[in-house]
mmCIF file of all heavy atoms in Angstrom:
data_model
loop_
_atom_site.group_PDB
_atom_site.id
_atom_site.type_symbol
_atom_site.label_atom_id
_atom_site.label_comp_id
_atom_site.label_asym_id
_atom_site.label_seq_id
_atom_site.Cartn_x
_atom_site.Cartn_y
_atom_site.Cartn_z
ATOM 1 N N LEU X 25 5.245 0.417 -14.935
ATOM 2 C CA LEU X 25 4.860 -0.416 -13.804
ATOM 3 C C LEU X 25 3.616 -1.164 -14.245
ATOM 4 O O LEU X 25 2.686 -0.556 -14.779
ATOM 5 C CB LEU X 25 4.552 0.445 -12.571
ATOM 6 C CG LEU X 25 4.120 -0.350 -11.337
ATOM 7 C CD1 LEU X 25 5.289 -1.176 -10.809
ATOM 8 C CD2 LEU X 25 3.601 0.578 -10.257
ATOM 9 N N ARG X 26 3.624 -2.460 -14.063
ATOM 10 C CA ARG X 26 2.481 -3.290 -14.446
ATOM 11 C C ARG X 26 1.907 -3.977 -13.213
ATOM 12 O O ARG X 26 2.637 -4.259 -12.260
ATOM 13 C CB ARG X 26 2.897 -4.322 -15.482
ATOM 14 C CG ARG X 26 3.404 -3.671 -16.764
ATOM 15 C CD ARG X 26 3.565 -4.666 -17.890
ATOM 16 N NE ARG X 26 4.089 -4.037 -19.080
ATOM 17 C CZ ARG X 26 3.379 -3.361 -19.977
ATOM 18 N NH1 ARG X 26 2.086 -3.224 -19.800
ATOM 19 N NH2 ARG X 26 3.957 -2.815 -21.039
ATOM 20 N N ASP X 27 0.597 -4.231 -13.270
ATOM 21 C CA ASP X 27 -0.039 -4.930 -12.157
ATOM 22 C C ASP X 27 0.177 -6.437 -12.302
ATOM 23 O O ASP X 27 0.854 -6.898 -13.230
ATOM 24 C CB ASP X 27 -1.521 -4.562 -12.040
ATOM 25 C CG ASP X 27 -2.371 -5.038 -13.210
ATOM 26 O OD1 ASP X 27 -1.903 -5.872 -14.023
ATOM 27 O OD2 ASP X 27 -3.524 -4.579 -13.318
ATOM 28 N N GLU X 28 -0.411 -7.206 -11.394
ATOM 29 C CA GLU X 28 -0.220 -8.651 -11.368
ATOM 30 C C GLU X 28 -0.733 -9.315 -12.643
ATOM 31 O O GLU X 28 -0.302 -10.409 -13.003
ATOM 32 C CB GLU X 28 -0.947 -9.259 -10.155
ATOM 33 C CG GLU X 28 -0.514 -8.712 -8.811
ATOM 34 C CD GLU X 28 -1.087 -7.315 -8.520
ATOM 35 O OE1 GLU X 28 -2.224 -7.004 -8.943
ATOM 36 O OE2 GLU X 28 -0.374 -6.517 -7.903
ATOM 37 N N GLU X 29 -1.674 -8.669 -13.328
ATOM 38 C CA GLU X 29 -2.242 -9.230 -14.553
ATOM 39 C C GLU X 29 -1.533 -8.719 -15.812
ATOM 40 O O GLU X 29 -1.957 -8.996 -16.922
ATOM 41 C CB GLU X 29 -3.734 -8.911 -14.610
ATOM 42 C CG GLU X 29 -4.498 -9.555 -13.470
ATOM 43 C CD GLU X 29 -5.923 -9.067 -13.367
ATOM 44 O OE1 GLU X 29 -6.443 -8.469 -14.326
ATOM 45 O OE2 GLU X 29 -6.517 -9.284 -12.303
ATOM 46 N N GLY X 30 -0.464 -7.936 -15.618
ATOM 47 C CA GLY X 30 0.309 -7.445 -16.741
ATOM 48 C C GLY X 30 -0.188 -6.146 -17.343
ATOM 49 O O GLY X 30 0.362 -5.662 -18.321
ATOM 50 N N ARG X 31 -1.239 -5.554 -16.746
ATOM 51 C CA ARG X 31 -1.759 -4.282 -17.252
ATOM 52 C C ARG X 31 -0.889 -3.130 -16.767
ATOM 53 O O ARG X 31 -0.395 -3.144 -15.643
ATOM 54 C CB ARG X 31 -3.190 -4.045 -16.762
ATOM 55 C CG ARG X 31 -4.197 -5.016 -17.307
ATOM 56 C CD ARG X 31 -5.548 -4.733 -16.731
ATOM 57 N NE ARG X 31 -5.461 -4.807 -15.277
ATOM 58 C CZ ARG X 31 -6.481 -5.035 -14.472
ATOM 59 N NH1 ARG X 31 -7.677 -5.183 -14.957
ATOM 60 N NH2 ARG X 31 -6.315 -5.096 -13.177
ATOM 61 N N GLU X 32 -0.726 -2.138 -17.634
ATOM 62 C CA GLU X 32 0.053 -0.959 -17.272
ATOM 63 C C GLU X 32 -0.650 -0.183 -16.158
ATOM 64 O O GLU X 32 -1.841 0.100 -16.249
ATOM 65 C CB GLU X 32 0.219 -0.062 -18.496
ATOM 66 C CG GLU X 32 1.014 1.191 -18.209
ATOM 67 C CD GLU X 32 1.181 2.055 -19.448
ATOM 68 O OE1 GLU X 32 1.504 1.511 -20.521
ATOM 69 O OE2 GLU X 32 0.979 3.266 -19.323
ATOM 70 N N VAL X 33 0.104 0.164 -15.127
ATOM 71 C CA VAL X 33 -0.422 1.004 -14.048
ATOM 72 C C VAL X 33 -0.083 2.458 -14.376
ATOM 73 O O VAL X 33 -0.953 3.320 -14.373
ATOM 74 C CB VAL X 33 0.154 0.585 -12.678
ATOM 75 C CG1 VAL X 33 -0.346 1.494 -11.575
ATOM 76 C CG2 VAL X 33 -0.180 -0.872 -12.383
ATOM 77 N N PHE X 34 1.200 2.717 -14.663
ATOM 78 C CA PHE X 34 1.641 4.030 -15.130
ATOM 79 C C PHE X 34 3.002 3.875 -15.778
ATOM 80 O O PHE X 34 3.625 2.817 -15.694
ATOM 81 C CB PHE X 34 1.654 5.089 -14.020
ATOM 82 C CG PHE X 34 2.523 4.762 -12.828
ATOM 83 C CD1 PHE X 34 3.871 5.051 -12.825
ATOM 84 C CD2 PHE X 34 1.975 4.194 -11.693
ATOM 85 C CE1 PHE X 34 4.671 4.768 -11.738
ATOM 86 C CE2 PHE X 34 2.761 3.900 -10.592
ATOM 87 C CZ PHE X 34 4.112 4.188 -10.611
ATOM 88 N N SER X 35 3.434 4.933 -16.463
ATOM 89 C CA SER X 35 4.729 4.876 -17.144
ATOM 90 C C SER X 35 5.540 6.129 -16.844
ATOM 91 O O SER X 35 4.998 7.144 -16.396
ATOM 92 C CB SER X 35 4.542 4.709 -18.655
ATOM 93 O OG SER X 35 3.913 5.842 -19.203
ATOM 94 N N LEU X 36 6.818 6.029 -17.124
ATOM 95 C CA LEU X 36 7.756 7.128 -16.946
ATOM 96 C C LEU X 36 8.532 7.261 -18.247
ATOM 97 O O LEU X 36 9.029 6.268 -18.777
ATOM 98 C CB LEU X 36 8.705 6.808 -15.786
ATOM 99 C CG LEU X 36 9.741 7.859 -15.438
ATOM 100 C CD1 LEU X 36 9.885 7.963 -13.933
ATOM 101 C CD2 LEU X 36 11.077 7.537 -16.055
ATOM 102 N N ARG X 37 8.587 8.479 -18.774
ATOM 103 C CA ARG X 37 9.306 8.694 -20.034
ATOM 104 C C ARG X 37 10.182 9.922 -19.924
ATOM 105 O O ARG X 37 9.957 10.795 -19.093
ATOM 106 C CB ARG X 37 8.345 8.841 -21.199
ATOM 107 C CG ARG X 37 7.525 10.109 -21.165
ATOM 108 C CD ARG X 37 6.680 10.246 -22.426
ATOM 109 N NE ARG X 37 5.840 11.411 -22.358
ATOM 110 C CZ ARG X 37 6.219 12.647 -22.658
ATOM 111 N NH1 ARG X 37 7.457 12.882 -23.060
ATOM 112 N NH2 ARG X 37 5.401 13.658 -22.558
ATOM 113 N N ASN X 38 11.166 9.971 -20.795
ATOM 114 C CA ASN X 38 12.066 11.112 -20.886
ATOM 115 C C ASN X 38 11.316 12.273 -21.541
ATOM 116 O O ASN X 38 10.672 12.092 -22.563
ATOM 117 C CB ASN X 38 13.292 10.733 -21.723
ATOM 118 C CG ASN X 38 14.390 11.766 -21.679
ATOM 119 O OD1 ASN X 38 14.244 12.840 -21.115
ATOM 120 N ND2 ASN X 38 15.522 11.432 -22.276
ATOM 121 N N GLU X 39 11.400 13.444 -20.986
ATOM 122 C CA GLU X 39 10.776 14.626 -21.574
ATOM 123 C C GLU X 39 11.540 15.123 -22.789
ATOM 124 O O GLU X 39 10.991 15.835 -23.606
ATOM 125 C CB GLU X 39 10.698 15.761 -20.545
ATOM 126 C CG GLU X 39 9.557 15.651 -19.586
ATOM 127 C CD GLU X 39 8.235 16.026 -20.213
ATOM 128 O OE1 GLU X 39 8.146 17.048 -20.914
ATOM 129 O OE2 GLU X 39 7.284 15.264 -20.004
ATOM 130 N N GLU X 40 12.802 14.761 -22.893
ATOM 131 C CA GLU X 40 13.603 15.157 -24.042
ATOM 132 C C GLU X 40 13.364 14.169 -25.179
ATOM 133 O O GLU X 40 12.743 13.124 -24.982
ATOM 134 C CB GLU X 40 15.077 15.220 -23.645
ATOM 135 C CG GLU X 40 15.329 16.302 -22.606
ATOM 136 C CD GLU X 40 16.764 16.359 -22.119
ATOM 137 O OE1 GLU X 40 17.614 15.600 -22.633
ATOM 138 O OE2 GLU X 40 17.023 17.155 -21.218
ATOM 139 N N ALA X 41 13.840 14.492 -26.368
ATOM 140 C CA ALA X 41 13.567 13.680 -27.554
ATOM 141 C C ALA X 41 14.098 12.254 -27.441
ATOM 142 O O ALA X 41 13.481 11.317 -27.939
ATOM 143 C CB ALA X 41 14.147 14.363 -28.789
ATOM 144 N N ALA X 42 15.228 12.075 -26.801
ATOM 145 C CA ALA X 42 15.831 10.738 -26.692
ATOM 146 C C ALA X 42 15.010 9.851 -25.757
ATOM 147 O O ALA X 42 14.586 10.282 -24.688
ATOM 148 C CB ALA X 42 17.259 10.862 -26.165
ATOM 149 N N THR X 43 14.786 8.624 -26.182
ATOM 150 C CA THR X 43 14.114 7.670 -25.305
ATOM 151 C C THR X 43 15.162 6.955 -24.463
ATOM 152 O O THR X 43 16.349 6.981 -24.772
ATOM 153 C CB THR X 43 13.315 6.635 -26.133
ATOM 154 O OG1 THR X 43 14.212 5.953 -27.007
ATOM 155 C CG2 THR X 43 12.207 7.295 -26.912
ATOM 156 N N PHE X 44 14.715 6.318 -23.420
ATOM 157 C CA PHE X 44 15.612 5.543 -22.583
ATOM 158 C C PHE X 44 15.939 4.238 -23.302
ATOM 159 O O PHE X 44 15.066 3.593 -23.867
ATOM 160 C CB PHE X 44 14.960 5.210 -21.242
ATOM 161 C CG PHE X 44 14.577 6.409 -20.419
ATOM 162 C CD1 PHE X 44 13.313 6.523 -19.883
ATOM 163 C CD2 PHE X 44 15.486 7.422 -20.163
ATOM 164 C CE1 PHE X 44 12.952 7.612 -19.112
ATOM 165 C CE2 PHE X 44 15.141 8.520 -19.400
ATOM 166 C CZ PHE X 44 13.864 8.607 -18.871
ATOM 167 N N THR X 45 17.193 3.861 -23.262
ATOM 168 C CA THR X 45 17.625 2.554 -23.753
ATOM 169 C C THR X 45 18.598 1.994 -22.739
ATOM 170 O O THR X 45 19.174 2.744 -21.943
ATOM 171 C CB THR X 45 18.337 2.645 -25.126
ATOM 172 O OG1 THR X 45 19.547 3.389 -24.968
ATOM 173 C CG2 THR X 45 17.456 3.278 -26.189
ATOM 174 N N GLY X 46 18.782 0.699 -22.788
ATOM 175 C CA GLY X 46 19.737 0.089 -21.868
ATOM 176 C C GLY X 46 21.110 0.706 -21.983
ATOM 177 O O GLY X 46 21.782 0.976 -20.990
ATOM 178 N N GLU X 47 21.539 0.982 -23.205
ATOM 179 C CA GLU X 47 22.864 1.551 -23.437
ATOM 180 C C GLU X 47 22.941 3.008 -22.981
ATOM 181 O O GLU X 47 23.904 3.424 -22.358
ATOM 182 C CB GLU X 47 23.222 1.431 -24.925
ATOM 183 C CG GLU X 47 24.652 1.781 -25.241
ATOM 184 C CD GLU X 47 25.663 0.901 -24.505
ATOM 185 O OE1 GLU X 47 25.395 -0.288 -24.283
ATOM 186 O OE2 GLU X 47 26.736 1.412 -24.158
ATOM 187 N N SER X 48 21.919 3.813 -23.293
ATOM 188 C CA SER X 48 21.964 5.238 -22.947
ATOM 189 C C SER X 48 21.859 5.481 -21.449
ATOM 190 O O SER X 48 22.243 6.536 -20.960
ATOM 191 C CB SER X 48 20.847 6.013 -23.661
ATOM 192 O OG SER X 48 19.574 5.716 -23.088
ATOM 193 N N MET X 49 21.355 4.504 -20.727
ATOM 194 C CA MET X 49 21.143 4.678 -19.295
ATOM 195 C C MET X 49 22.460 4.849 -18.531
ATOM 196 O O MET X 49 22.480 5.455 -17.476
ATOM 197 C CB MET X 49 20.389 3.478 -18.721
ATOM 198 C CG MET X 49 19.014 3.287 -19.328
ATOM 199 S SD MET X 49 17.935 4.661 -19.016
ATOM 200 C CE MET X 49 17.744 4.492 -17.277
ATOM 201 N N LYS X 50 23.533 4.355 -19.082
ATOM 202 C CA LYS X 50 24.809 4.406 -18.375
ATOM 203 C C LYS X 50 25.305 5.827 -18.161
ATOM 204 O O LYS X 50 25.916 6.122 -17.147
ATOM 205 C CB LYS X 50 25.856 3.583 -19.124
ATOM 206 C CG LYS X 50 25.529 2.121 -19.180
ATOM 207 C CD LYS X 50 26.495 1.365 -20.050
ATOM 208 C CE LYS X 50 26.042 -0.081 -20.180
ATOM 209 N NZ LYS X 50 26.763 -0.779 -21.220
ATOM 210 N N ALA X 51 25.055 6.711 -19.113
ATOM 211 C CA ALA X 51 25.580 8.077 -19.028
ATOM 212 C C ALA X 51 24.473 9.114 -19.175
ATOM 213 O O ALA X 51 24.740 10.265 -19.503
ATOM 214 C CB ALA X 51 26.631 8.287 -20.104
ATOM 215 N N LEU X 52 23.254 8.721 -18.914
ATOM 216 C CA LEU X 52 22.119 9.601 -19.143
ATOM 217 C C LEU X 52 22.044 10.757 -18.160
ATOM 218 O O LEU X 52 22.290 10.604 -16.974
ATOM 219 C CB LEU X 52 20.814 8.806 -19.049
ATOM 220 C CG LEU X 52 19.563 9.636 -19.239
ATOM 221 C CD1 LEU X 52 19.366 9.939 -20.709
ATOM 222 C CD2 LEU X 52 18.367 8.933 -18.675
ATOM 223 N N SER X 53 21.709 11.903 -18.684
ATOM 224 C CA SER X 53 21.343 13.060 -17.879
ATOM 225 C C SER X 53 20.246 13.780 -18.657
ATOM 226 O O SER X 53 20.426 14.095 -19.836
ATOM 227 C CB SER X 53 22.530 13.989 -17.666
ATOM 228 O OG SER X 53 22.133 15.099 -16.880
ATOM 229 N N THR X 54 19.119 13.994 -18.028
ATOM 230 C CA THR X 54 17.993 14.638 -18.693
ATOM 231 C C THR X 54 17.393 15.680 -17.758
ATOM 232 O O THR X 54 17.487 15.548 -16.538
ATOM 233 C CB THR X 54 16.939 13.599 -19.143
ATOM 234 O OG1 THR X 54 15.921 14.256 -19.890
ATOM 235 C CG2 THR X 54 16.314 12.873 -17.972
ATOM 236 N N ALA X 55 16.789 16.697 -18.337
ATOM 237 C CA ALA X 55 16.241 17.789 -17.533
ATOM 238 C C ALA X 55 14.997 17.370 -16.778
ATOM 239 O O ALA X 55 14.767 17.814 -15.652
ATOM 240 C CB ALA X 55 15.940 18.992 -18.422
ATOM 241 N N SER X 56 14.162 16.530 -17.389
ATOM 242 C CA SER X 56 12.934 16.134 -16.703
ATOM 243 C C SER X 56 12.358 14.861 -17.297
ATOM 244 O O SER X 56 12.668 14.484 -18.423
ATOM 245 C CB SER X 56 11.894 17.260 -16.779
ATOM 246 O OG SER X 56 11.502 17.497 -18.114
ATOM 247 N N VAL X 57 11.529 14.234 -16.507
ATOM 248 C CA VAL X 57 10.807 13.038 -16.911
ATOM 249 C C VAL X 57 9.327 13.264 -16.628
ATOM 250 O O VAL X 57 8.965 14.125 -15.834
ATOM 251 C CB VAL X 57 11.313 11.780 -16.167
ATOM 252 C CG1 VAL X 57 12.754 11.477 -16.527
ATOM 253 C CG2 VAL X 57 11.156 11.915 -14.674
ATOM 254 N N SER X 58 8.486 12.485 -17.304
ATOM 255 C CA SER X 58 7.039 12.560 -17.090
ATOM 256 C C SER X 58 6.520 11.228 -16.612
ATOM 257 O O SER X 58 6.903 10.181 -17.148
ATOM 258 C CB SER X 58 6.308 12.885 -18.397
ATOM 259 O OG SER X 58 6.272 14.232 -18.638
ATOM 260 N N LEU X 59 5.640 11.288 -15.645
ATOM 261 C CA LEU X 59 4.887 10.118 -15.231
ATOM 262 C C LEU X 59 3.521 10.234 -15.889
ATOM 263 O O LEU X 59 2.890 11.293 -15.835
ATOM 264 C CB LEU X 59 4.725 10.086 -13.713
ATOM 265 C CG LEU X 59 5.965 9.683 -12.942
ATOM 266 C CD1 LEU X 59 5.774 9.946 -11.462
ATOM 267 C CD2 LEU X 59 6.263 8.212 -13.177
ATOM 268 N N GLU X 60 3.075 9.152 -16.510
ATOM 269 C CA GLU X 60 1.807 9.182 -17.223
ATOM 270 C C GLU X 60 0.905 8.059 -16.759
ATOM 271 O O GLU X 60 1.337 6.911 -16.638
ATOM 272 C CB GLU X 60 2.049 9.067 -18.727
ATOM 273 C CG GLU X 60 2.842 10.236 -19.260
ATOM 274 C CD GLU X 60 3.169 10.116 -20.739
ATOM 275 O OE1 GLU X 60 2.932 9.047 -21.344
ATOM 276 O OE2 GLU X 60 3.667 11.109 -21.283
#
Side-chain angles (χ1 to χ4, degrees):
L25 179 68
R26 298 191 182 278
D27 66 13
E28 302 76 34
E29 297 170 16
R31 294 178 303 203
E32 180 179 315
V33 178
F34 58 85
S35 65
L36 181 140
R37 69 175 177 83
N38 190 354
E39 279 284 314
E40 296 177 4
T43 59
F44 299 130
T45 65
E47 189 59 34
S48 72
M49 299 298 293
K50 296 174 185 168
L52 179 77
S53 180
T54 185
S56 64
V57 296
S58 275
L59 285 169
E60 297 177 351

